[in-house]
Amino acid sequence: ALSQLKTEYEVAPTQYFLLRGIENGLDFIKEQKQTIINSLPLDSTGFTRYYTIDKTYQYLYEYVYSRFLSIGGGQ
């Protein structure tokens, strides 16, 4: 879905940087998810990672709807 939202910096610099932030957040979640899967069963460090992933996801969800789509990034 992100590939459909791609934009060039020269065309829309604000959307470009917002999209980069979204991509970076999703990359972080993907990396942490794999670390958690490799660490099962979870210890306190694993639960902290899980909590961080959950908070990052919630932030990205709000970020997409309140910042990216509100300025026309989803069009």
Side-chain angles (χ1 to χ4, degrees):
L2 284 178
S3 63
Q4 295 175 350
L5 299 175
K6 293 250 185 231
T7 187
E8 298 297 320
Y9 173 78
E10 295 78 16
V11 174
T14 301
Q15 286 96 340
Y16 173 82
F17 283 114
L18 291 172
L19 184 59
R20 292 292 300 149
I22 294 165
E23 290 172 335
N24 289 338
L26 291 174
D27 287 344
F28 171 78
I29 289 172
K30 183 179 177 181
E31 291 169 9
Q32 292 299 310
K33 182 183 110 182
Q34 191 58 49
T35 300
I36 286 174
I37 289 171
N38 293 338
S39 304
L40 291 175
L42 296 181
D43 57 11
S44 62
T45 302
F47 282 109
T48 300
R49 280 194 180 105
Y50 177 82
Y51 179 78
T52 302
I53 289 172
D54 185 56
K55 287 300 177 188
T56 303
Y57 173 80
Q58 290 174 26
Y59 174 79
L60 284 175
Y61 182 84
E62 292 298 321
Y63 187 78
V64 167
Y65 285 99
S66 68
R67 304 267 325 263
F68 188 76
L69 295 179
S70 69
I71 62 168
Q75 297 178 359

